[in-house]
């Protein structure tokens, strides 16, 4: 900080000696000031926040413009006053914040939204730390580069920017960032698997695995491949969370701050280029931009609870036959193909992100498009609990355990509340969300009645789920606002945790099954 202040004094005195106006931040000073701005707003340690603020004030007194944050809080979808404010957290959350800051070097916006659910956040941070920083088959710079490749598949500039910085910090070659073709052939070979995992994991076969493991000069070991697969699925699903919760750019990253003064209307063209697409998205009312009467919303909650009660009674009275259960699954899988938003449109990847992957036109496609049939993946034949977990743990020790814990926390997490209601058993609803996501990937549980999904998940909710899971880059604030309109933001974040973990497990199941088939 003191070095920044001395550099600012040098620039200011040099400009004065030349009889010139004091320039805007230059020569790397802007980057340092943005970092200080982040620390002054987001550091969990009060003394660091105060010192950062003091240095920024000192720079400003020299006549040098300091940056200001763009956006309003960690999420574009959640009003800042409804998120947990740094410096106002309780003791348990402060410990989490401090650990996150020590691990990541920042308190990032993902953490500030996930902290609605501290138990999950603790498991998430522990897993991510292990994947990126602890002993493992892959070198550190490979791990961050694979994170960039995975996030870029969904045009997630938020995650790409973070990992570009981390990649360089651990000694990665800057030339690799000019495009995937500049990275080693071994990483380029991973591009096909990255593409299929992100968009059409059901197409992965043991032949794809064999190509990676048996390429003579640039082959992957089984342990390296498991590490890479877990990283790819982690960042595909984290991209879903980033878009699904409207995560804002980090204050010290591109799009998170500006040196321009506020415009009169508090809205200018620079906001558009940084992802703020309309005044209503910036100045959203606390209840969201979808006008709806409170009575109507309350009725939605009551109706959902009544359906849950009726379904429970039906379960107790009769059980459908295996044939009927299979029919209902196929019907739901078929219907999920036709769930799409009226806002659905092709979005072109920006060059800045697309250079990190090949075949930019390759995206999510429903199962039976163009007459293509994909066999149903039966969990009874290959499951995470009985097969995937042990394979991961054998080849990448402890990671199977960490993932298993994270899956279980997300699946079982409950506060027994629904909007304004307390003491509610939400297990039926959570299972419907999880199984609907797996159904979209062709994964079937023989013991589940898929008829329950249509009873519990309305169209606007299905649109949101499918968009966040399959094409997260197309998620809008309107989609977020339009489902579960009377529910708390913490409950909508909870939904996103289910989407993240169900998606990650679905991708892993297809990849691990292909690896198992190759090994046998």
């Amino acid at each position: 900080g003191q070095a920044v202040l001395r550099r600012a004094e040098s620039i200011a005195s040099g400009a004065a000696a030349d009889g010139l106006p004091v320039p805007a931040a230059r020569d790397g000073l802007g980057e340092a000031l943005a970092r200080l701005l982040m620390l002054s707003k987001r550091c969990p340690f009060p003394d660091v926040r105060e010192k950062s603020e003091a240095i920024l004030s000192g720079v400003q007194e020299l006549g040098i413009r300091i940056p200001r944050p763009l956006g309003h809080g960690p999420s574009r979808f959640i009003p800042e006053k409804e998120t947990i404010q740094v410096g106002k957290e309780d003791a348990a959350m402060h410990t989490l914040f401090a650990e996150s800051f020590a691990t990541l070097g920042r308190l990032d916006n993902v953490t500030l939204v996930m902290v609605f659910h501290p138990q999950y956040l603790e498991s998430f941070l522990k897993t991510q730390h292990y994947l990126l920083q602890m002993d493992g088959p892959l070198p550190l710079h490979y791990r961050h580069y694979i994170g960039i490749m995975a996030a870029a598949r969904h045009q997630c500039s938020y995650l790409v920017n973070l990992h570009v910085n981390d990649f360089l910090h651990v000694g990665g070659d800057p030339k690799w960032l000019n495009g995937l073709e500049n990275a080693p052939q071994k990483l380029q070979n991973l591009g096909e698997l990255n593409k299929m995992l992100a968009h059409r994991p059901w197409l992965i076969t043991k032949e794809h695995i064999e190509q990676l493991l048996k390429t003579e000069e640039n082959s992957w070991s089984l342990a390296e491949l498991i590490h890479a697969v877990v990283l790819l699925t982690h960042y595909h699903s984290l991209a879903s969370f980033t878009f699904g919760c409207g995560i804002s750019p980090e204050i010290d990253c591109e799009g998170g701050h500006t040196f321009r003064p506020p415009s009169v209307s508090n809205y200018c063209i620079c906001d558009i280029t940084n992802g703020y697409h309309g005044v209503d998205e910036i100045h959203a009312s606390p209840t969201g931009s979808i006008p709806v009467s409170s009575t109507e919303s309350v009725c939605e909650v009551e109706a959902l609870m009544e359906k849950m009660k009726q379904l429970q009674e039906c379960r107790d009275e009769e059980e459908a036959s295996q044939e009927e259960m299979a029919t209902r699954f196929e019907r739901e899988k078929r219907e999920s193909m036709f769930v799409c938003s009226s806002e659905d449109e092709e979005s072109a990847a920006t060059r800045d992100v697309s250079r990190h992957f090949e075949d930019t036109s390759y995206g999510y496609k429903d199962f039976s498009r163009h007459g293509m049939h994909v066999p149903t993946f039966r969990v009874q034949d290959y499951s995470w609990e009985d097969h995937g977990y042990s394979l991961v743990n054998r080849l990448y020790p402890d990671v199977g355990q960490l993932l298993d814990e994270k899956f279980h926390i997300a699946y079982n997490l409950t506060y027994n509340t629904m909007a304004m209601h307390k003491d509610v058993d939400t297990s039926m609803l959570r299972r419907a969300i999880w199984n609907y996501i797996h159904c979209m990937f062709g994964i079937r549980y023989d013991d589940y009645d898929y008829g329950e999904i249509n009873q519990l998940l309305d169209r606007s909710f299905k649109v949101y789920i499918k968009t966040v899971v399959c094409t997260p880059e197309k998620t809008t604030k309107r989609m977020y606002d339009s489902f579960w309109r009377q529910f708390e933001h913490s409950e909508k974040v909870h939904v996103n945790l289910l989407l993240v973990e169900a998606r990650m497990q679905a991708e892993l199941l297809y990849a691990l099954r292909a690896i198992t088939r190759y090994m046998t």
Side-chain angles (χ1 to χ4, degrees):
Q2 294 304 319
V4 170
L5 198 52
R6 286 195 297 273
R7 178 71 185 132
E9 287 169 348
S10 171
I11 288 174
S13 60
D18 294 337
L20 298 171
V22 178
R26 69 180 188 194
D27 301 336
L29 185 62
E31 191 177 310
L33 291 175
R35 175 78 178 166
L36 281 168
L37 177 70
M38 182 275 288
L39 290 172
S40 73
K41 302 285 185 187
R42 297 282 167 79
C43 181
F45 307 113
D47 57 331
V48 177
R49 283 203 305 272
E50 289 163 12
K51 285 176 184 172
S52 300
E53 286 170 8
I55 292 164
L56 287 172
S57 295
V59 171
Q60 194 168 25
E61 285 170 10
L62 293 169
I64 292 179
R65 187 180 293 162
I66 64 169
R68 64 182 178 86
L70 275 172
H72 301 260
S75 165
R76 292 185 294 116
F77 296 172
I78 305 171
E80 186 171 15
K81 65 179 181 292
E82 295 187 38
T83 60
I84 291 158
Q85 306 293 305
V86 178
K88 297 179 182 177
E89 70 274 12
D90 62 26
M93 282 189 185
H94 179 76
T95 301
L96 258 182
F97 280 172
E99 287 175 358
S100 176
F101 189 88
T103 301
L104 302 172
R106 65 172 66 246
L107 200 53
D108 64 19
N109 289 335
V110 166
T111 297
L112 290 172
V113 173
M114 271 188 191
V115 80
F116 275 120
H117 306 285
Q119 185 190 5
Y120 175 85
L121 175 61
E122 187 174 6
S123 176
F124 172 86
L125 290 173
K126 189 164 60 172
T127 304
Q128 184 169 261
H129 175 66
Y130 197 97
L131 291 175
L132 291 176
Q133 297 179 13
M134 299 298 282
D135 287 345
L138 293 173
L140 297 183
H141 62 301
Y142 264 53
R143 303 180 196 192
H144 290 294
Y145 197 82
I146 290 168
I148 293 168
M149 288 173 63
R153 278 272 28 137
H154 285 307
Q155 302 155 43
C156 187
S157 55
Y158 172 86
L159 291 174
V160 169
N161 286 337
L162 284 181
H163 284 281
V164 163
N165 291 337
D166 291 338
F167 172 76
L168 295 172
H169 182 70
V170 298
D173 186 343
K175 290 177 189 162
W176 297 10
L177 300 174
N178 293 329
L180 187 57
E181 67 275 10
N182 295 289
Q185 188 62 46
K186 183 171 178 173
L187 282 168
Q188 291 184 45
N189 293 346
L190 196 64
E192 186 74 9
L193 186 65
N194 179 29
K195 182 172 78 172
M196 286 189 295
L197 269 175
H199 307 298
R200 308 175 203 173
W202 48 87
L203 296 181
I204 297 171
T205 65
K206 68 177 184 179
E207 283 72 29
H208 294 112
I209 304 304
E210 187 173 12
Q211 284 171 9
L212 289 166
L213 296 174
K214 289 201 168 176
T215 310
E216 289 178 12
E217 203 173 321
N218 303 290
S219 63
W220 292 73
S221 71
L222 268 170
E224 288 175 332
L225 186 58
I226 289 287
H227 194 170
V229 163
V230 174
L231 282 168
L232 290 172
T233 57
H234 176 80
Y235 283 104
H236 293 156
S237 57
L238 191 53
S240 284
F241 183 87
T242 301
F243 285 113
C245 292
I247 300 296
S248 301
E250 293 299 324
I251 290 174
D252 58 329
C253 287
E254 185 180 348
H257 64 274
T258 180
F259 285 89
R260 293 178 56 173
S263 60
V264 176
S265 65
N266 202 32
Y267 178 73
C268 61
I269 194 67
C270 60
D271 291 321
I272 295 174
T273 62
N274 287 304
Y276 302 99
H277 301 299
V279 178
D280 64 325
E281 285 207 0
I282 299 176
H283 307 293
S285 65
T287 53
S289 58
I290 307 294
V292 60
S293 72
S294 59
T295 308
E296 186 183 341
S297 290
V298 170
C299 288
E300 284 179 354
V301 179
E302 303 290 354
L304 181 55
M305 291 183 66
E306 183 58 32
K307 283 177 184 172
M308 288 165 63
K309 182 182 173 185
Q310 290 172 359
L311 285 171
Q312 188 58 56
E313 289 169 355
C314 290
R315 273 185 188 175
D316 296 340
E317 289 172 13
E318 59 177 316
E319 192 173 310
S321 66
Q322 280 298 314
E323 291 77 10
E324 177 60 24
M325 300 265 262
T327 301
R328 289 176 186 176
F329 168 78
E330 292 299 333
R331 185 186 303 132
E332 189 59 53
K333 184 172 77 169
R334 192 169 57 250
E335 286 179 5
S336 75
M337 295 177 215
F338 303 106
V339 172
C340 63
S341 165
S342 57
E343 302 169 58
D344 197 18
E345 57 184 41
E346 292 299 317
S347 54
T350 61
R351 169 63 191 157
D352 191 48
V353 171
S354 66
R355 66 186 173 192
H356 298 298
F357 63 91
E358 299 171 315
D359 196 358
T360 56
S361 63
Y362 191 98
Y364 171 80
K365 288 288 184 292
D366 293 310
F367 294 94
S368 299
R369 293 269 174 94
H370 316 300
M372 180 181 68
H373 175 69
V374 177
T376 293
F377 185 122
R378 295 177 72 251
V379 168
Q380 276 65 22
D381 297 332
Y382 194 96
S383 69
W384 166 256
E385 291 80 6
D386 296 333
H387 306 90
Y389 167 81
S390 56
L391 177 62
V392 173
N393 242 19
R394 187 163 85 246
L395 293 169
Y396 189 8
D398 298 329
V399 170
Q401 183 65 43
L402 289 167
L403 293 176
D404 194 58
E405 177 186 293
K406 190 159 63 79
F407 290 147
H408 275 94
I409 289 173
Y411 188 87
N412 295 312
L413 188 66
T414 183
Y415 305 95
N416 299 111
T417 59
M418 275 181 66
M420 68 294 294
H421 298 277
K422 300 191 186 317
D423 301 317
V424 182
D425 181 357
T426 60
S427 56
M428 180 184 290
L429 185 56
R430 285 181 278 118
R431 191 179 185 194
I433 294 168
W434 185 280
N435 286 1
Y436 179 61
I437 295 159
H438 279 195
C439 178
M440 291 190 303
F441 285 94
I443 297 169
R444 181 189 166 208
Y445 295 83
D446 286 354
D447 61 347
Y448 183 69
D449 181 357
Y450 286 84
E452 293 186 3
I453 288 174
N454 269 340
Q455 297 290 315
L456 298 173
L457 312 183
D458 64 22
R459 188 184 180 280
S460 64
F461 193 14
K462 283 185 171 181
V463 166
Y464 178 78
I465 291 172
K466 185 172 180 183
T467 306
V468 171
V469 171
C470 300
T471 52
E473 61 276 11
K474 296 179 181 177
T475 309
T476 64
K477 186 175 188 302
R478 179 169 287 274
M479 289 179 194
Y480 175 90
D481 288 335
S482 67
F483 83 92
W484 282 12
R485 290 173 289 187
Q486 196 63 24
F487 285 69
E488 301 288 335
H489 286 293
S490 61
E491 291 172 303
K492 293 194 174 192
V493 173
H494 188 176
V495 165
N496 272 274
L497 302 184
L498 283 168
L499 306 192
V500 163
E501 297 304 330
R503 176 187 178 172
M504 183 174 185
Q505 192 179 98
E507 286 189 29
L508 277 174
L509 282 173
Y510 279 108
L512 297 175
R513 184 180 68 170
I515 291 171
T516 299
R517 286 177 172 174
Y518 165 80
M519 291 170 68
T520 53

